[in-house]
Amino acid sequence: MSQSTSHILMIRPVNFGFNEETAASNAFQNPDAEKNGVQERALSEFNSMVNILRHNGVDVSVVDDTPQPYTPDSIFPNNWVSFHNDGGIFLYPMQAENRRLERREDIITDLEDKFKVAHVIDLSRFEHEHRFLEGTGSMVLDRENKIAYACLSPRTDKDVLNYFCEQSGYQPISFEAVDEKGKAIYHTNVLMCIGSRFAVICLNSIPNPHERITVIESLKSSHKEINEITFEQMSQFAGNMLEVQNKAGDTLIVMSQNAFSALTEAQRSALQQYGKLVHADINTIETNGGGSARCMMAEVHLPTI
């Protein structure tokens, strides 16, 4: 089982904007961000990122969002769906009601033209119990070692996490994580990233020393070189990276321009041992949406036809 894939699903936005429904739990959204022309600027940033990925040999499937229903966060598909190498697809329970509208059966149907789908496990019923697990935002998956790292938050319920792990054969490692102001971090993938041979993580965000040690020991036992980032670097989305492959099998580490700029030269050099650093300017998407490059990419690990 490979940690990364060259097949990426991305959703082109039509109504991107600051989502009031998610802002209460997402401190990465900036309510003071420039709102004028935000859809046009986000669309330009999105298209530029797709072009950068394709220029680097990544197979990107782009699906256009629809004007109705209103889904301002559709640009972040990794929260509602994940794709696995056994042909399994998981659909996830989302906290914000307008984000639940992002789940689209037609996207899965279209992927079946190219990939083998064995089964779909729909966890969205947990929404009726007000319990949530927002995909590979809530979880950072070590796919090779079948470990699901998750910081618990209003969007990440421990029982739903455990149920996902029972269904998928993953081992859960859950913990509390907070930002510099002590607020719960809404998604695990803003504080950590896992590649084939490395991990990027803001260890200071895990206040419980026992939980921090558990995470460190798990990463070390799975042979991940730990690259630590600061709170300030995390706030610039330096934890929100994704390792992908191109069609030639080369490893790329994809991040935003803000994340790249936040890294020190030493950190960049360390990461370059594991792959080419690829970065795109998505500042409008980050400030209004509170998510970054990793959130925009749903990895398709399904077997190809």
Side-chain angles (χ1 to χ4, degrees):
M1 186 186 304
S2 176
Q3 176 65 20
S4 55
T5 176
S6 64
H7 305 295
I8 300 296
L9 169 70
M10 298 179 69
I11 308 296
R12 182 180 284 119
V14 296
N15 275 318
F16 177 81
F18 186 90
N19 189 350
E20 297 287 352
E21 288 192 30
T22 60
S25 60
N26 184 349
F28 290 78
Q29 285 178 253
N30 182 359
D32 298 322
E34 174 59 50
K35 303 297 190 298
N36 292 329
V38 66
Q39 159 62 23
E40 291 75 15
R41 286 183 283 121
L43 178 61
S44 177
E45 291 175 359
F46 174 89
N47 289 334
S48 177
M49 180 169 163
V50 169
N51 290 337
I52 288 170
L53 289 171
R54 287 175 170 166
H55 177 75
N56 280 277
V58 180
D59 175 33
V60 184
S61 297
V62 175
V63 176
D64 290 324
D65 191 17
T66 55
Q68 296 295 329
Y70 175 59
T71 51
D73 279 331
S74 62
I75 201 169
F76 305 131
N78 78 309
N79 298 143
W80 67 265
V81 66
S82 67
F83 307 97
H84 301 263
N85 73 323
D86 64 352
I89 296 176
F90 281 84
L91 305 179
Y92 293 98
M94 311 279 281
Q95 183 188 44
E97 291 187 16
N98 64 12
R99 294 218 61 191
R100 300 171 190 177
L101 303 172
E102 296 172 25
R103 294 189 294 259
R104 287 172 52 184
E105 288 185 17
D106 62 303
I107 292 176
I108 294 173
T109 300
D110 289 345
L111 285 174
E112 289 182 302
D113 292 337
K114 187 174 178 181
F115 301 97
K116 298 175 185 177
V117 176
H119 56 270
V120 178
I121 299 178
D122 188 351
L123 306 181
S124 63
R125 66 184 183 278
F126 285 104
E127 290 168 352
H128 302 297
E129 304 171 15
H130 303 289
R131 295 193 291 173
F132 313 108
L133 185 73
E134 297 187 339
T136 54
S138 287
M139 302 178 291
V140 173
L141 301 180
D142 181 342
R143 292 179 181 262
E144 293 174 311
N145 296 287
K146 303 282 278 190
I147 302 170
Y149 296 90
C151 69
L152 304 178
S153 76
R155 303 201 200 179
T156 304
D157 181 88
K158 189 171 185 178
D159 291 336
V160 186
L161 167 68
N162 290 337
Y163 185 78
F164 163 82
C165 289
E166 290 171 8
Q167 296 297 309
S168 61
Y170 276 74
Q171 171 197 349
I173 294 183
S174 61
F175 51 91
E176 304 288 339
V178 297
D179 62 19
E180 205 163 11
K181 297 179 181 178
K183 181 175 181 176
I185 294 175
Y186 81 109
H187 275 165
T188 314
N189 73 1
V190 295
L191 73 94
M192 70 183 295
C193 155
I194 291 179
S196 301
R197 297 184 293 144
F198 71 93
V200 175
I201 183 169
C202 180
L203 289 172
N204 285 339
S205 70
I206 307 175
N208 185 306
H210 300 293
E211 292 182 340
R212 191 184 314 128
I213 290 170
T214 297
V215 171
I216 291 171
E217 289 181 345
S218 176
L219 292 171
K220 287 183 175 179
S221 66
S222 51
H223 308 292
K224 307 299 182 189
E225 186 73 32
I226 296 175
N227 298 263
E228 191 171 353
I229 57 173
T230 65
F231 277 119
E232 175 58 29
Q233 290 174 320
M234 180 180 70
S235 73
Q236 297 300 310
F237 294 100
N240 196 248
M241 306 176 184
L242 183 66
E243 177 187 290
V244 304
Q245 296 176 15
N246 63 19
K247 297 171 189 176
D250 302 319
T251 300
L252 313 173
I253 302 172
V254 183
M255 66 193 76
S256 72
Q257 179 63 51
N258 284 335
F260 180 81
S261 298
L263 297 174
T264 66
E265 285 295 336
Q267 288 170 320
R268 293 176 194 168
S269 295
L271 288 173
Q272 284 168 343
Q273 298 177 62
Y274 310 113
K276 178 183 178 181
L277 305 189
V278 175
H279 43 93
D281 183 355
I282 50 173
N283 185 66
T284 302
I285 294 167
E286 290 177 320
T287 54
N288 283 275
S292 188
R294 190 276 168 269
C295 307
M296 295 168 63
M297 297 179 285
E299 313 140 89
V300 183
H301 283 264
L302 300 170
T304 54
I305 293 176

